[in-house]
């Protein structure tokens, strides 16, 4: 049995299918089709064998796909580990130009550090490279100051080495 999403192009809209026919049509198990029925796949009536109309099956499968789809924002990628759209870690974006029109972006998830990938047009690649600015609300880690350090171990170690 193959494990992939069903190809809705093979569904005949004017035909009614039984549960075993659908399973063989998509190359999936009969239990999967029965689970779809429990989740809300419309059947023609409650009689046995259960019949599913092709047009309703197609509409239901398309609705399931669009419901599960996660949209990424302008500076987000889909993280497979977090299973959600996440921002990338600042400075981790690597843009590779594949041809004259497309680019491939690789970055790390800001939450878990997993590698994330996204395809983009070459024109939008500059948008991905300019991600060094910190997020709103973040404070810089290094602060320049003219005040001497309170724990001045460097000056003590140089005095002991010279003397």
């Amino acid at each position: 049995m193959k494990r992939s999403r069903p190809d809705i192009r093979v569904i005949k809209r004017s035909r009614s299918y039984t549960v075993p026919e659908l399973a063989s049509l998509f190359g999936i198990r009969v239990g999967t089709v029965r689970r779809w029925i429990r989740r809300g796949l419309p059947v023609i009536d409650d009689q046995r064998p259960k019949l599913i109309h092709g047009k309703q099956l197609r509409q239901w499968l398309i609705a399931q796909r669009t419901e599960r789809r996660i949209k990424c924002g302008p500076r987000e990628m889909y993280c497979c580990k977090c299973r959600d759209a996440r921002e990338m870690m600042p400075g981790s974006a690597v843009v590779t130009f594949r041809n004259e029109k497309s680019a491939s972006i690789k970055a790390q998830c800001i939450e878990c550090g997993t590698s994330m990938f996204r395809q983009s047009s070459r024109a939008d690649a500059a948008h991905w490279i300019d991600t060094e600015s910190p997020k709103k609300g973040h404070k810089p880690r290094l602060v320049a100051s003219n005040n001497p350090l309170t724990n001045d171990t460097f000056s003590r170690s140089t005095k002991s080495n010279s003397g």
Side-chain angles (χ1 to χ4, degrees):
M1 296 278 170
K2 61 182 179 179
R3 186 184 166 121
S4 64
R5 61 181 182 188
D7 185 11
I8 60 172
R9 296 175 295 175
V10 299
I11 301 169
K12 300 205 183 314
R13 294 179 187 171
S14 60
R15 182 164 181 224
S16 296
Y17 295 96
T18 62
V19 172
E21 286 174 345
L22 277 181
S24 65
L25 180 69
F26 292 139
I28 56 178
R29 298 184 187 270
V30 175
T32 302
V33 179
R34 289 184 181 134
R35 188 171 52 248
W36 290 352
I37 293 170
R38 285 193 302 269
R39 283 191 195 161
L41 175 63
V43 293
I44 293 176
D45 56 9
D46 291 333
Q47 304 277 327
R48 288 194 186 258
K50 294 197 185 259
L51 295 175
I52 298 109
H53 196 269
K55 185 176 179 181
Q56 292 177 338
L57 171 66
R58 183 181 172 87
Q59 290 172 351
W60 187 80
L61 285 173
I62 290 171
Q64 292 298 307
R65 285 184 188 173
T66 56
E67 183 180 308
R68 276 184 308 204
R69 188 168 288 159
I70 295 173
K71 292 284 185 184
C72 294
R75 287 187 151 191
E76 292 180 334
M77 295 183 187
Y78 181 78
C79 179
C80 292
K81 190 172 182 182
C82 299
R83 293 186 177 252
D84 199 10
R86 299 278 188 222
E87 282 196 24
M88 60 184 173
M89 196 173 296
S92 69
V94 177
V95 178
T96 307
F97 296 108
R98 300 170 47 115
N99 55 31
E100 62 274 351
K101 291 185 178 181
S102 67
S104 186
I105 300 113
K106 178 181 178 183
Q108 291 181 331
C109 175
I110 198 162
E111 299 289 326
C112 65
T114 304
S115 294
M116 302 184 297
F117 301 92
R118 183 170 177 162
Q119 301 298 320
S120 172
S121 67
R122 192 176 182 116
D124 292 340
H127 171 76
W128 289 96
I129 295 171
D130 183 33
T131 57
E132 298 299 323
S133 59
K135 290 172 52 176
K136 293 178 184 175
H138 282 256
K139 296 179 182 175
R141 292 183 186 174
L142 299 175
V143 178
S145 174
N146 291 333
N147 298 334
L149 296 173
T150 55
N151 186 5
D152 197 6
T153 57
F154 178 75
S155 63
R156 278 188 266 143
S157 65
T158 54
K159 289 177 186 175
S160 62
N161 288 341
S162 62

